[in-house]
Amino acid sequence: MHNIDIDLVEMTLDVMKYAIHRITATSLELGQPKKEEELRKLVGETVTSQGIGGEKAFQLFKDVLVKATVPIDHPRHLAFVSAAPTRASIMFDLVTSASSIHGAYWMEGAGGIFCENEAMKWLVSLTNLPKGAFGVFTSGGTAANLSAMVAARENWRKNDQNIGVRGLIITSVGAHSSIKAMAKVIDADILLVDSENRMTESDLENTIDALSDDIRKRLFAVVGTGGTTNAGIIDDLDGIATVCEKENLWFHVDAAYGGGALAADSVRHLFKGIEKADSITIDPHKWFFSPYDCGAVIYKHPEKAKEAHAQEGSYLDIFKDEGAVGFNPSDYQIQLTRRVRGLPLWFSLAMHGTDKYKKAVEQGIALAQIAGKLIAKESYIELVREPSLSCVLFRRIGWEPKDYNNWTYKNHKAGFALVTPTKWNNGNEKETVARFCFINPDTTTEDISAILNSMK
Protein backbone atom coordinates (compact mmCIF):
# COMPACT_ATOMS: atom_id res chain seq x y z
CA MET A 1 0.00 0.00 0.00
CA HIS A 2 3.05 2.25 -0.08
CA ASN A 3 3.73 1.47 -3.73
CA ILE A 4 3.31 4.01 -6.50
CA ASP A 5 1.26 2.50 -9.32
CA ILE A 6 -1.33 3.55 -11.88
CA ASP A 7 -4.17 3.05 -9.38
CA LEU A 8 -2.54 5.53 -7.00
CA VAL A 9 -2.03 8.04 -9.81
CA GLU A 10 -5.67 7.79 -10.88
CA MET A 11 -6.87 8.04 -7.29
CA THR A 12 -4.73 11.14 -6.80
CA LEU A 13 -6.28 12.75 -9.86
CA ASP A 14 -9.79 11.93 -8.61
CA VAL A 15 -9.06 13.43 -5.21
CA MET A 16 -7.56 16.57 -6.74
CA LYS A 17 -10.58 16.99 -9.04
CA TYR A 18 -12.87 16.78 -6.01
CA ALA A 19 -10.75 19.26 -4.07
CA ILE A 20 -10.69 21.73 -6.97
CA HIS A 21 -14.46 21.45 -7.39
CA ARG A 22 -15.05 21.96 -3.66
CA ILE A 23 -12.67 24.91 -3.38
CA THR A 24 -14.16 26.72 -6.38
CA ALA A 25 -17.81 25.93 -5.60
CA THR A 26 -20.04 28.97 -5.19
CA SER A 27 -23.19 27.05 -4.26
CA LEU A 28 -23.03 24.52 -1.43
CA GLU A 29 -25.48 21.82 -0.43
CA LEU A 30 -26.53 22.05 3.21
CA GLY A 31 -26.23 18.40 4.15
CA GLN A 32 -27.86 16.87 7.18
CA PRO A 33 -26.94 13.97 9.45
CA LYS A 34 -28.46 10.51 9.18
CA LYS A 35 -28.74 7.91 11.89
CA GLU A 36 -25.89 5.44 12.08
CA GLU A 37 -28.10 2.55 11.01
CA GLU A 38 -29.18 4.52 7.92
CA LEU A 39 -25.59 5.20 6.93
CA ARG A 40 -24.64 1.58 7.58
CA LYS A 41 -27.44 0.43 5.27
CA LEU A 42 -26.35 2.81 2.52
CA VAL A 43 -22.60 2.28 2.83
CA GLY A 44 -22.16 -1.24 4.17
CA GLU A 45 -18.87 -2.45 5.63
CA THR A 46 -15.97 -0.33 4.49
CA VAL A 47 -13.07 -1.59 6.60
CA THR A 48 -12.49 -5.21 5.62
CA SER A 49 -9.58 -7.64 5.51
CA GLN A 50 -9.09 -7.18 1.75
CA GLY A 51 -10.26 -3.57 1.42
CA ILE A 52 -12.99 -2.27 -0.88
CA GLY A 53 -10.70 -0.23 -3.13
CA GLY A 54 -10.07 3.48 -3.30
CA GLU A 55 -12.52 4.12 -6.12
CA LYS A 56 -15.45 2.57 -4.28
CA ALA A 57 -14.53 4.15 -0.92
CA PHE A 58 -14.22 7.59 -2.49
CA GLN A 59 -17.50 7.17 -4.37
CA LEU A 60 -19.27 6.29 -1.13
CA PHE A 61 -17.82 9.37 0.49
CA LYS A 62 -18.96 11.67 -2.34
CA ASP A 63 -22.40 10.10 -2.86
CA VAL A 64 -23.42 9.39 0.73
CA LEU A 65 -21.11 10.35 3.55
CA VAL A 66 -20.23 13.96 2.79
CA LYS A 67 -23.93 14.63 2.19
CA ALA A 68 -24.56 13.61 5.79
CA THR A 69 -22.42 16.52 6.97
CA VAL A 70 -23.09 20.25 7.23
CA PRO A 71 -20.47 22.37 5.46
CA ILE A 72 -19.21 24.87 7.98
CA ASP A 73 -18.67 27.47 5.28
CA HIS A 74 -22.28 27.52 4.03
CA PRO A 75 -23.39 31.20 4.05
CA ARG A 76 -26.62 30.30 5.89
CA HIS A 77 -24.85 28.22 8.53
CA LEU A 78 -25.30 30.74 11.35
CA ALA A 79 -25.38 28.30 14.29
CA PHE A 80 -22.74 27.82 17.00
CA VAL A 81 -19.53 29.52 15.83
CA SER A 82 -19.07 28.36 12.27
CA ALA A 83 -16.06 28.93 10.03
CA ALA A 84 -15.32 30.21 6.55
CA PRO A 85 -11.78 29.20 5.61
CA THR A 86 -10.29 31.09 2.69
CA ARG A 87 -9.69 29.16 -0.51
CA ALA A 88 -5.99 29.84 -0.06
CA SER A 89 -5.94 28.27 3.41
CA ILE A 90 -7.88 25.21 2.21
CA MET A 91 -5.46 24.72 -0.67
CA PHE A 92 -2.50 24.98 1.64
CA ASP A 93 -4.07 22.53 4.05
CA LEU A 94 -3.65 20.00 1.23
CA VAL A 95 -0.02 21.05 0.89
CA THR A 96 0.48 20.79 4.65
CA SER A 97 -0.81 17.22 4.75
CA ALA A 98 1.11 16.19 1.63
CA SER A 99 4.36 17.60 3.04
CA SER A 100 4.34 15.31 6.12
CA ILE A 101 5.97 17.80 8.48
CA HIS A 102 6.17 16.97 12.17
CA GLY A 103 5.71 20.28 13.94
CA ALA A 104 6.88 19.48 17.45
CA TYR A 105 10.58 20.32 17.17
CA TRP A 106 12.67 22.71 15.10
CA MET A 107 15.12 19.95 14.21
CA GLU A 108 12.44 18.17 12.16
CA GLY A 109 10.12 20.98 11.13
CA ALA A 110 12.16 24.19 10.98
CA GLY A 111 10.72 25.51 7.70
CA GLY A 112 7.12 24.81 8.64
CA ILE A 113 7.54 26.13 12.18
CA PHE A 114 9.17 29.29 10.79
CA CYS A 115 6.03 29.91 8.71
CA GLU A 116 3.78 29.25 11.70
CA ASN A 117 5.79 31.73 13.74
CA GLU A 118 5.37 34.41 11.08
CA ALA A 119 1.58 34.04 11.39
CA MET A 120 1.87 33.94 15.18
CA LYS A 121 3.76 37.26 15.18
CA TRP A 122 0.74 38.89 13.58
CA LEU A 123 -1.65 37.35 16.12
CA VAL A 124 0.54 38.53 18.99
CA SER A 125 0.77 42.03 17.52
CA LEU A 126 -3.04 42.31 17.63
CA THR A 127 -3.05 41.77 21.40
CA ASN A 128 -0.58 44.57 22.18
CA LEU A 129 1.13 42.29 24.69
CA PRO A 130 4.62 43.50 25.69
CA LYS A 131 7.80 42.56 23.87
CA GLY A 132 8.75 38.93 24.39
CA ALA A 133 5.19 37.62 24.29
CA PHE A 134 4.66 34.70 21.96
CA GLY A 135 2.55 31.62 21.40
CA VAL A 136 1.93 28.38 19.55
CA PHE A 137 -0.83 26.85 17.49
CA THR A 138 -2.99 24.19 19.11
CA SER A 139 -5.85 21.97 17.99
CA GLY A 140 -8.40 24.53 19.18
CA GLY A 141 -9.62 26.63 22.07
CA THR A 142 -10.04 23.70 24.43
CA ALA A 143 -6.41 22.63 24.07
CA ALA A 144 -5.29 26.26 24.28
CA ASN A 145 -7.29 26.92 27.44
CA LEU A 146 -5.99 23.70 29.00
CA SER A 147 -2.40 24.61 28.13
CA ALA A 148 -2.82 28.05 29.71
CA MET A 149 -4.41 26.61 32.86
CA VAL A 150 -1.59 24.11 33.28
CA ALA A 151 0.98 26.90 32.90
CA ALA A 152 -0.92 29.02 35.44
CA ARG A 153 -1.17 26.23 37.98
CA GLU A 154 2.49 25.19 37.65
CA ASN A 155 3.55 28.81 38.05
CA TRP A 156 1.43 28.99 41.23
CA ARG A 157 3.04 25.79 42.52
CA LYS A 158 6.48 27.32 42.40
CA ASN A 159 5.51 28.31 45.92
CA ASP A 160 6.15 25.15 47.94
CA GLN A 161 3.09 25.84 50.09
CA ASN A 162 0.89 25.20 47.04
CA ILE A 163 2.34 21.83 46.07
CA GLY A 164 -0.33 19.18 46.43
CA VAL A 165 -3.04 21.78 47.00
CA ARG A 166 -6.18 21.63 44.84
CA GLY A 167 -6.31 24.93 42.98
CA LEU A 168 -9.26 27.23 42.35
CA ILE A 169 -10.17 29.21 39.22
CA ILE A 170 -12.73 32.02 38.94
CA THR A 171 -14.62 32.71 35.72
CA SER A 172 -18.16 33.73 34.75
CA VAL A 173 -21.30 31.75 34.00
CA GLY A 174 -20.98 32.98 30.43
CA ALA A 175 -17.49 31.52 29.97
CA HIS A 176 -17.01 28.81 27.38
CA SER A 177 -17.81 25.24 28.40
CA SER A 178 -14.18 24.23 27.87
CA ILE A 179 -13.08 26.37 30.84
CA LYS A 180 -15.22 24.32 33.21
CA ALA A 181 -14.31 21.04 31.50
CA MET A 182 -10.56 21.72 31.52
CA ALA A 183 -10.66 22.66 35.20
CA LYS A 184 -11.78 19.08 35.78
CA VAL A 185 -8.89 17.78 33.67
CA ILE A 186 -6.33 19.53 35.88
CA ASP A 187 -8.33 18.59 39.00
CA ALA A 188 -9.03 22.19 39.97
CA ASP A 189 -12.20 23.67 41.39
CA ILE A 190 -14.00 26.40 39.52
CA LEU A 191 -16.08 29.24 40.94
CA LEU A 192 -18.58 30.94 38.61
CA VAL A 193 -19.49 34.59 38.90
CA ASP A 194 -23.25 34.45 38.54
CA SER A 195 -23.71 36.74 35.56
CA GLU A 196 -24.15 35.86 31.91
CA ASN A 197 -23.55 39.51 31.11
CA ARG A 198 -20.20 41.28 31.28
CA MET A 199 -18.06 40.22 34.24
CA THR A 200 -16.83 43.44 35.83
CA GLU A 201 -14.05 44.46 38.17
CA SER A 202 -16.53 44.81 41.05
CA ASP A 203 -18.07 41.39 40.27
CA LEU A 204 -14.65 39.81 40.64
CA GLU A 205 -13.71 41.81 43.73
CA ASN A 206 -16.97 40.90 45.48
CA THR A 207 -16.50 37.22 44.62
CA ILE A 208 -12.96 37.16 45.99
CA ASP A 209 -13.90 39.13 49.12
CA ALA A 210 -16.59 36.56 49.90
CA LEU A 211 -14.06 33.70 50.01
CA SER A 212 -12.84 32.31 53.31
CA ASP A 213 -9.11 32.56 53.98
CA ASP A 214 -8.62 28.83 53.34
CA ILE A 215 -10.37 28.93 49.98
CA ARG A 216 -8.70 32.19 48.99
CA LYS A 217 -5.31 30.51 49.36
CA ARG A 218 -6.31 28.01 46.65
CA LEU A 219 -7.17 30.69 44.08
CA PHE A 220 -4.52 30.88 41.36
CA ALA A 221 -6.22 32.13 38.18
CA VAL A 222 -9.07 34.18 36.74
CA VAL A 223 -10.44 33.58 33.25
CA GLY A 224 -12.03 36.51 31.46
CA THR A 225 -13.83 36.16 28.16
CA GLY A 226 -13.11 38.19 25.05
CA GLY A 227 -16.41 37.51 23.30
CA THR A 228 -18.72 34.90 24.81
CA THR A 229 -19.85 32.15 22.47
CA ASN A 230 -23.49 32.66 23.37
CA ALA A 231 -23.79 36.41 22.88
CA GLY A 232 -20.42 37.95 21.93
CA ILE A 233 -20.04 39.69 25.30
CA ILE A 234 -16.61 41.01 26.28
CA ASP A 235 -15.76 41.09 29.97
CA ASP A 236 -14.28 44.12 31.70
CA LEU A 237 -10.79 42.94 30.84
CA ASP A 238 -9.05 46.05 32.11
CA GLY A 239 -10.80 45.93 35.47
CA ILE A 240 -10.21 42.19 35.84
CA ALA A 241 -6.52 42.72 35.05
CA THR A 242 -6.32 45.30 37.84
CA VAL A 243 -7.77 42.85 40.37
CA CYS A 244 -5.48 40.03 39.21
CA GLU A 245 -2.43 42.22 39.54
CA LYS A 246 -3.45 43.30 43.04
CA GLU A 247 -4.23 39.73 44.13
CA ASN A 248 -1.22 38.17 42.33
CA LEU A 249 -3.39 35.93 40.16
CA TRP A 250 -2.79 34.57 36.67
CA PHE A 251 -5.08 36.37 34.22
CA HIS A 252 -6.17 34.31 31.22
CA VAL A 253 -8.42 35.65 28.46
CA ASP A 254 -10.43 33.18 26.43
CA ALA A 255 -10.91 34.99 23.12
CA ALA A 256 -11.24 31.82 21.06
CA TYR A 257 -14.22 33.23 19.17
CA GLY A 258 -14.01 36.97 19.77
CA GLY A 259 -10.26 37.28 19.31
CA GLY A 260 -10.76 37.76 15.59
CA ALA A 261 -12.34 41.12 16.38
CA LEU A 262 -8.97 42.36 17.60
CA ALA A 263 -8.28 43.00 13.92
CA ALA A 264 -11.38 45.20 13.58
CA ASP A 265 -10.75 48.90 14.23
CA SER A 266 -14.46 49.43 14.93
CA VAL A 267 -14.45 47.30 18.11
CA ARG A 268 -10.79 46.99 19.11
CA HIS A 269 -11.32 49.42 22.00
CA LEU A 270 -13.73 46.96 23.65
CA PHE A 271 -10.77 44.68 24.39
CA LYS A 272 -8.91 47.25 26.50
CA GLY A 273 -6.93 45.35 29.13
CA ILE A 274 -6.24 42.24 27.06
CA GLU A 275 -2.66 43.45 26.74
CA LYS A 276 -2.30 42.86 30.51
CA ALA A 277 -3.22 39.16 30.30
CA ASP A 278 -0.78 36.42 31.20
CA SER A 279 -2.20 34.20 28.48
CA ILE A 280 -4.74 34.48 25.66
CA THR A 281 -6.63 31.95 23.55
CA ILE A 282 -7.55 32.77 19.93
CA ASP A 283 -8.98 30.32 17.38
CA PRO A 284 -7.90 31.14 13.81
CA HIS A 285 -10.26 28.40 12.61
CA LYS A 286 -13.12 30.62 13.72
CA TRP A 287 -12.87 34.30 12.81
CA PHE A 288 -9.49 34.22 11.08
CA PHE A 289 -10.73 31.99 8.29
CA SER A 290 -8.39 29.03 8.72
CA PRO A 291 -9.44 25.37 8.25
CA TYR A 292 -10.09 23.13 11.21
CA ASP A 293 -8.20 22.55 13.34
CA CYS A 294 -6.26 25.65 14.29
CA GLY A 295 -6.31 27.25 17.71
CA ALA A 296 -3.64 29.33 19.41
CA VAL A 297 -2.41 30.08 22.90
CA ILE A 298 -0.30 33.19 23.53
CA TYR A 299 1.76 33.88 26.65
CA LYS A 300 3.04 37.14 28.06
CA HIS A 301 6.02 35.21 29.44
CA PRO A 302 6.54 32.10 27.25
CA GLU A 303 9.28 30.82 29.52
CA LYS A 304 6.67 30.14 32.22
CA ALA A 305 4.75 27.95 29.78
CA LYS A 306 7.95 26.15 28.82
CA GLU A 307 8.66 25.36 32.46
CA ALA A 308 5.21 23.76 32.68
CA HIS A 309 5.08 21.89 29.37
CA ALA A 310 8.57 20.89 28.17
CA GLN A 311 8.82 17.09 28.18
CA GLU A 312 11.78 15.04 29.29
CA GLY A 313 13.00 11.74 27.83
CA SER A 314 16.26 10.20 26.67
CA TYR A 315 14.89 10.05 23.11
CA LEU A 316 14.25 13.82 23.30
CA ASP A 317 17.72 14.81 24.52
CA ILE A 318 18.92 15.44 20.97
CA PHE A 319 16.60 18.44 20.74
CA LYS A 320 18.61 20.15 23.47
CA ASP A 321 21.83 19.72 21.50
CA GLU A 322 23.46 22.81 20.01
CA GLY A 323 22.96 21.42 16.51
CA ALA A 324 19.18 21.22 17.01
CA VAL A 325 18.58 24.58 18.67
CA GLY A 326 15.42 26.36 17.58
CA PHE A 327 11.82 27.11 18.58
CA ASN A 328 10.07 23.92 19.69
CA PRO A 329 6.26 24.35 19.78
CA SER A 330 5.78 21.23 21.89
CA ASP A 331 7.48 23.03 24.79
CA TYR A 332 4.60 25.49 25.16
CA GLN A 333 1.40 23.45 25.09
CA ILE A 334 0.05 20.02 26.00
CA GLN A 335 0.72 18.20 22.75
CA LEU A 336 4.02 16.61 21.78
CA THR A 337 2.99 15.20 18.42
CA ARG A 338 1.49 17.96 16.29
CA ARG A 339 0.98 18.89 12.67
CA VAL A 340 2.02 22.36 11.53
CA ARG A 341 -1.60 23.52 11.67
CA GLY A 342 -0.64 27.18 11.45
CA LEU A 343 0.71 26.74 7.90
CA PRO A 344 -2.62 27.28 6.09
CA LEU A 345 -3.14 30.51 8.03
CA TRP A 346 0.38 31.67 7.18
CA PHE A 347 -0.10 31.02 3.46
CA SER A 348 -3.44 32.82 3.35
CA LEU A 349 -2.01 35.80 5.25
CA ALA A 350 1.02 35.88 2.97
CA MET A 351 -1.15 35.63 -0.13
CA HIS A 352 -3.84 38.15 0.77
CA GLY A 353 -2.30 40.48 3.34
CA THR A 354 -3.70 41.45 6.72
CA ASP A 355 -5.88 44.32 5.41
CA LYS A 356 -8.22 41.84 3.74
CA TYR A 357 -8.50 39.93 7.02
CA LYS A 358 -9.52 43.12 8.78
CA LYS A 359 -12.13 43.79 6.10
CA ALA A 360 -13.58 40.28 6.35
CA VAL A 361 -13.87 40.48 10.15
CA GLU A 362 -15.54 43.89 9.90
CA GLN A 363 -18.06 42.34 7.52
CA GLY A 364 -19.16 39.86 10.21
CA ILE A 365 -19.71 42.74 12.64
CA ALA A 366 -21.62 44.69 9.98
CA LEU A 367 -23.88 41.70 9.26
CA ALA A 368 -24.82 41.50 12.94
CA GLN A 369 -25.80 45.17 12.91
CA ILE A 370 -27.83 44.67 9.72
CA ALA A 371 -29.64 41.72 11.32
CA GLY A 372 -30.39 43.83 14.39
CA LYS A 373 -31.97 46.57 12.24
CA LEU A 374 -34.02 44.05 10.24
CA ILE A 375 -35.33 42.49 13.46
CA ALA A 376 -36.22 45.89 14.93
CA LYS A 377 -38.45 46.61 11.92
CA GLU A 378 -40.67 43.56 12.43
CA SER A 379 -43.57 43.11 14.83
CA TYR A 380 -43.34 39.32 15.24
CA ILE A 381 -39.69 39.26 16.39
CA GLU A 382 -37.60 41.38 18.75
CA LEU A 383 -34.03 41.68 19.95
CA VAL A 384 -33.18 40.08 23.30
CA ARG A 385 -30.18 42.40 23.57
CA GLU A 386 -28.25 44.63 21.21
CA PRO A 387 -25.92 42.74 18.83
CA SER A 388 -22.42 42.23 20.19
CA LEU A 389 -19.48 41.47 17.92
CA SER A 390 -21.09 39.15 15.35
CA CYS A 391 -23.71 37.58 17.65
CA VAL A 392 -27.41 38.43 17.63
CA LEU A 393 -29.94 37.07 20.12
CA PHE A 394 -33.61 37.51 19.25
CA ARG A 395 -36.99 36.00 20.08
CA ARG A 396 -40.02 35.03 18.06
CA ILE A 397 -42.86 36.55 20.06
CA GLY A 398 -45.24 33.87 21.32
CA TRP A 399 -42.99 30.89 20.64
CA GLU A 400 -42.27 28.08 23.10
CA PRO A 401 -38.97 26.14 23.14
CA LYS A 402 -40.42 23.39 20.94
CA ASP A 403 -41.31 25.98 18.29
CA TYR A 404 -37.67 27.04 17.99
CA ASN A 405 -36.55 23.42 17.69
CA ASN A 406 -39.19 22.64 15.05
CA TRP A 407 -38.15 25.74 13.11
CA THR A 408 -34.49 24.68 13.21
CA TYR A 409 -35.21 21.17 11.95
CA LYS A 410 -37.63 22.36 9.27
CA ASN A 411 -35.09 24.75 7.74
CA HIS A 412 -32.28 22.24 8.01
CA LYS A 413 -34.28 19.40 6.47
CA ALA A 414 -35.22 21.67 3.57
CA GLY A 415 -31.53 22.38 2.95
CA PHE A 416 -32.22 26.06 3.51
CA ALA A 417 -30.34 27.12 6.65
CA LEU A 418 -28.90 25.95 9.94
CA VAL A 419 -29.81 28.35 12.75
CA THR A 420 -30.16 26.89 16.22
CA PRO A 421 -31.72 28.21 19.44
CA THR A 422 -29.92 28.91 22.67
CA LYS A 423 -30.92 29.94 26.18
CA TRP A 424 -30.63 33.34 27.82
CA ASN A 425 -31.20 34.40 31.41
CA ASN A 426 -34.48 36.32 31.49
CA GLY A 427 -34.75 37.37 35.10
CA ASN A 428 -34.62 34.19 37.14
CA GLU A 429 -35.53 31.94 34.23
CA LYS A 430 -33.68 30.57 31.21
CA GLU A 431 -35.51 31.65 28.09
CA THR A 432 -35.15 29.83 24.77
CA VAL A 433 -34.28 32.32 22.02
CA ALA A 434 -32.87 32.32 18.49
CA ARG A 435 -29.25 33.17 17.76
CA PHE A 436 -27.22 34.29 14.76
CA CYS A 437 -23.43 34.16 14.68
CA PHE A 438 -21.93 35.75 11.58
CA ILE A 439 -18.49 34.60 10.46
CA ASN A 440 -18.82 34.06 6.72
CA PRO A 441 -18.46 37.31 4.73
CA ASP A 442 -20.44 35.65 1.92
CA THR A 443 -23.63 35.75 3.99
CA THR A 444 -25.96 38.37 2.48
CA THR A 445 -28.70 40.67 3.71
CA GLU A 446 -31.06 38.59 1.56
CA ASP A 447 -29.98 35.46 3.46
CA ILE A 448 -30.80 37.12 6.78
CA SER A 449 -34.18 38.39 5.58
CA ALA A 450 -35.13 34.98 4.22
CA ILE A 451 -34.28 33.27 7.51
CA LEU A 452 -36.26 35.81 9.52
CA ASN A 453 -39.22 35.45 7.15
CA SER A 454 -39.20 31.71 7.77
CA MET A 455 -40.34 32.46 11.34
CA LYS A 456 -43.61 34.06 10.22
Side-chain angles (χ1 to χ4, degrees):
M1 63 185 179
H2 287 83
N3 292 338
I4 300 174
D5 54 22
I6 189 62
D7 289 340
L8 176 66
V9 172
E10 291 179 349
M11 191 75 258
T12 302
L13 291 174
D14 287 345
V15 169
M16 294 309 297
K17 286 178 185 176
Y18 172 84
I20 291 169
H21 171 73
R22 182 59 178 78
I23 290 169
T24 58
T26 56
S27 179
L28 301 176
E29 181 180 341
L30 190 68
Q32 53 186 296
K34 297 180 182 294
K35 292 182 178 179
E36 183 178 354
E37 52 267 31
E38 291 181 81
L39 290 175
R40 178 71 61 204
K41 186 176 180 180
L42 291 168
V43 172
E45 294 295 329
T46 58
V47 179
T48 66
S49 60
Q50 297 301 310
I52 63 173
E55 184 178 351
K56 183 178 180 181
F58 194 39
Q59 202 65 45
L60 288 171
F61 175 79
K62 292 187 293 182
D63 293 347
V64 180
L65 299 171
V66 77
K67 293 180 179 180
T69 69
V70 178
I72 57 167
D73 52 351
H74 194 288
R76 290 192 298 277
H77 182 337
L78 304 179
F80 319 116
V81 180
S82 61
T86 64
R87 268 76 174 177
S89 66
I90 294 170
M91 285 189 290
F92 218 74
D93 208 24
L94 293 172
V95 174
T96 299
S97 294
S99 299
S100 294
I101 302 171
H102 185 216
Y105 291 98
W106 188 267
M107 183 181 188
E108 291 181 298
I113 295 169
F114 174 87
C115 294
E116 282 193 315
N117 289 353
E118 291 294 288
M120 181 57 67
K121 286 177 184 177
W122 180 64
L123 291 184
V124 174
S125 73
L126 296 175
T127 68
N128 285 337
L129 282 166
K131 184 178 180 180
F134 207 63
V136 291
F137 292 100
T138 66
S139 61
T142 297
N145 286 333
L146 175 58
S147 298
M149 287 183 184
V150 169
R153 184 194 61 188
E154 293 308 294
N155 182 69
W156 174 65
R157 284 182 172 168
K158 287 179 181 178
N159 183 335
D160 292 343
Q161 294 181 351
N162 298 328
I163 295 175
V165 176
R166 184 182 174 97
L168 175 66
I169 299 168
I170 292 179
T171 191
S172 71
V173 169
H176 191 263
S177 56
S178 67
I179 301 297
K180 302 129 188 177
M182 293 307 99
K184 292 180 182 178
V185 173
I186 65 171
D187 197 29
D189 289 324
I190 193 154
L191 180 60
L192 301 178
V193 174
D194 190 18
S195 173
E196 199 169 1
N197 280 299
R198 186 172 184 251
M199 181 166 69
T200 66
E201 179 178 0
S202 60
D203 289 333
L204 180 57
E205 284 181 326
N206 292 338
T207 300
I208 293 175
D209 289 344
L211 299 177
S212 67
D213 290 342
D214 288 342
I215 294 177
R216 170 63 188 84
K217 290 176 182 177
R218 298 197 289 119
L219 179 60
F220 69 92
V222 174
V223 179
T225 303
T228 61
T229 302
N230 208 29
I233 296 168
I234 302 168
D235 286 340
D236 174 15
L237 303 180
D238 201 38
I240 294 171
T242 298
V243 176
C244 288
E245 185 176 1
K246 181 177 69 174
E247 299 286 342
N248 193 28
L249 300 171
W250 185 286
F251 177 32
H252 176 65
V253 177
D254 178 10
Y257 150 58
L262 289 168
D265 294 336
S266 64
V267 295
R268 178 60 182 81
H269 63 283
L270 300 176
F271 292 85
K272 185 176 185 295
I274 197 171
E275 71 281 356
K276 300 175 183 178
D278 293 289
S279 53
I280 301 168
T281 290
I282 299 175
D283 273 358
H285 66 212
K286 290 189 172 79
W287 218 353
F288 280 143
F289 316 110
S290 191
Y292 290 129
D293 54 9
C294 184
V297 58
I298 301 169
Y299 301 100
K300 181 188 292 184
H301 300 294
E303 65 276 7
K304 293 183 179 180
K306 187 174 183 179
E307 290 172 1
H309 290 290
Q311 298 190 25
E312 299 289 336
S314 58
Y315 42 85
L316 301 176
D317 285 346
I318 186 64
F319 297 117
K320 300 176 184 177
D321 187 79
E322 187 176 325
V325 168
F327 183 82
N328 299 323
S330 64
D331 287 344
Y332 302 91
Q333 40 84 57
I334 60 170
Q335 294 164 302
L336 179 62
T337 301
R338 65 181 295 276
R339 69 195 299 263
V340 277
R341 51 177 53 88
L343 265 184
L345 174 64
W346 163 77
F347 181 76
S348 187
L349 283 168
M351 179 174 175
H352 295 300
T354 59
D355 285 350
K356 288 183 180 177
Y357 271 74
K358 289 174 176 284
K359 184 177 179 181
V361 173
E362 290 281 16
Q363 178 65 6
I365 296 168
L367 285 168
Q369 295 301 318
I370 289 169
K373 291 176 182 177
L374 290 174
I375 291 166
K377 290 179 180 179
E378 301 292 348
S379 59
Y380 64 95
I381 48 179
E382 63 184 6
L383 287 170
V384 171
R385 65 188 309 278
E386 288 299 311
S388 183
L389 296 183
S390 66
C391 287
V392 185
L393 298 184
F394 60 103
R395 66 173 61 88
R396 170 60 164 88
I397 297 171
W399 272 15
E400 301 293 329
K402 62 181 176 57
D403 296 313
Y404 288 97
N405 287 343
N406 291 338
W407 170 70
T408 293
Y409 289 126
K410 179 183 177 181
N411 283 340
H412 190 188
K413 187 175 182 180
F416 169 59
L418 180 61
V419 184
T420 54
T422 188
K423 293 187 184 298
W424 182 253
N425 275 335
N426 186 9
N428 295 323
E429 296 182 0
K430 287 273 192 179
E431 178 190 6
T432 299
V433 298
R435 173 183 173 275
F436 287 147
C437 183
F438 297 99
I439 295 292
N440 195 332
D442 287 338
T443 302
T444 65
T445 301
E446 290 72 25
D447 289 326
I448 301 169
S449 293
I451 294 170
L452 294 176
N453 286 335
S454 72
M455 297 181 112
K456 287 182 176 178

